[in-house]
Amino acid sequence: SVAYGFTKYPENTDIFARLMDIYNTNEEDLTEENSPFACVLRDMIEKTEDDVIKIDPIDGKSENILKKLKKVTPIKFPQEVFRYSMSQETQNQIQLQVQKDKNNIIQAIKRKDILLVSYYLNNLKSLEKIVKKYVNDSYDECKRLVYESIIEYKKEVLDQFSLMLNSQDGLTSENIAVFQNFNDYLQNIQILSEYYETESSSSSLALLSPKSFLENMMIELKKQRLKFEKQNRNRDNENNNNEN
């Protein structure tokens, strides 16, 4: 149930009478088109006929109001009762803004501009809290695009590291610059962690920390060492066979 409180009215004001005047004056306009308003107005009239909750923010006694509110039957599922009401134009504007933020995130991903990615993700996250119906899918899709781009970049760097290990040129200044840039990138993406707090462990940005990158590089080094050891063993066996 809903309770109504009234404030800033003169002490001798008859709230019930005022509501009845509003209803009688606008009765012809209370059509199906604005039926929610009509329903609320009728409910207010019904609940103020015998008793009115008047709120005096300065001299009033809150305990009296609380006692009345305790007698009101609570709404078990308020999320099913209270809905945001917005015009089609407002909905269109929200969807347009969501699409703009999504496009900006995609462009920021391409430039590897993590601060800009975070800015627009935060926009979508804030909108989602207010109008989830129009944002949720786009917000989740953008988070997925951001995560996948990080994974792809990581793979590119590790592939380059693997090629470097197999190259006769060894570690070049260009390689060092690539690895340093990616290490800085991994440190920057940690600011995105708040957007993945409820994700599964497989989508956690903690798996994409500088520490994890170093561990992956060590794994590649171990693979390369095992490969060289195997090649050496094969070469030694061939030499022994030739000698025999």
Side-chain angles (χ1 to χ4, degrees):
S1 182
V2 177
Y4 304 97
F6 301 85
T7 187
K8 295 186 178 180
Y9 279 95
E11 181 64 28
N12 60 349
T13 300
D14 188 336
I15 301 295
F16 173 73
R18 291 288 299 273
L19 292 173
M20 284 299 301
D21 287 342
I22 295 173
Y23 184 83
N24 293 329
T25 304
N26 299 276
E27 188 171 6
E28 293 182 0
D29 298 325
L30 299 177
T31 60
E32 291 185 4
E33 187 174 332
N34 56 11
S35 58
F37 171 74
C39 288
V40 171
L41 184 56
R42 293 190 193 100
D43 191 48
M44 293 175 72
I45 291 171
E46 180 182 341
K47 291 177 178 175
T48 56
E49 184 174 4
D50 298 322
D51 188 22
V52 177
I53 299 177
K54 291 185 178 181
I55 301 172
D56 184 340
I58 298 177
D59 300 319
K61 295 183 179 181
S62 59
E63 57 267 24
N64 294 335
I65 297 175
L66 291 175
K67 286 179 181 179
K68 293 179 179 179
L69 292 178
K70 286 176 66 176
K71 297 177 182 179
V72 177
T73 305
I75 299 174
K76 292 184 178 180
F77 304 102
Q79 68 277 11
E80 297 179 3
V81 177
F82 297 100
R83 306 286 180 90
Y84 279 99
S85 177
M86 64 179 69
S87 66
Q88 186 61 48
E89 181 181 358
T90 301
Q91 295 176 32
N92 293 338
Q93 288 298 320
I94 290 174
Q95 291 171 344
L96 180 62
Q97 183 61 50
V98 168
Q99 188 59 46
K100 285 182 178 179
D101 286 342
K102 181 179 177 181
N103 291 338
N104 286 327
I105 287 173
I106 292 173
Q107 293 303 315
I109 288 173
K110 292 179 180 178
R111 297 197 299 271
K112 296 180 174 58
D113 190 336
I114 299 303
L115 288 177
L116 205 55
V117 168
S118 179
Y119 174 80
Y120 287 113
L121 273 180
N122 187 63
N123 280 359
L124 289 178
K125 183 179 181 180
S126 299
L127 272 175
E128 187 204 25
K129 291 179 179 178
I130 303 173
V131 282
K132 188 172 183 178
K133 175 182 177 181
Y134 306 101
V135 183
N136 192 42
D137 290 342
S138 294
Y139 178 53
D140 288 341
E141 182 182 0
C142 285
K143 289 199 299 180
R144 178 183 59 79
L145 290 173
V146 170
Y147 187 82
E148 289 177 353
S149 72
I150 297 171
I151 294 295
E152 183 179 354
Y153 186 21
K154 176 184 177 182
K155 183 179 183 302
E156 290 175 3
V157 174
L158 287 175
D159 287 345
Q160 187 167 343
F161 182 70
S162 181
L163 289 173
M164 181 271 295
L165 291 177
N166 290 292
S167 172
Q168 294 181 350
D169 296 333
L171 184 65
T172 65
S173 58
E174 182 180 349
N175 296 141
I176 293 174
V178 170
F179 301 146
Q180 181 60 53
N181 288 339
F182 186 66
N183 185 70
D184 294 342
Y185 176 82
L186 288 179
Q187 291 180 348
N188 290 336
I189 66 172
Q190 299 311 307
I191 66 174
L192 304 178
S193 297
E194 63 175 292
Y195 307 110
Y196 296 86
E197 290 176 349
T198 59
E199 306 295 318
S200 63
S201 57
S202 61
S203 299
S204 171
L205 289 186
L207 300 176
L208 296 169
S209 64
K211 179 181 178 181
S212 70
F213 176 57
L214 181 60
E215 290 172 350
N216 283 320
M217 294 181 74
M218 295 302 295
I219 291 173
E220 290 297 322
L221 283 171
K222 183 177 180 180
K223 289 180 181 178
Q224 195 65 24
R225 178 174 60 80
L226 293 174
K227 178 181 176 181
F228 287 151
E229 289 177 351
K230 183 177 181 180
Q231 290 176 345
N232 289 333
R233 285 196 302 270
N234 291 338
R235 186 165 52 249
D236 291 341
N237 289 335
E238 287 180 4
N239 292 335
N240 290 333
N241 291 333
N242 292 333
E243 291 176 0
N244 293 331

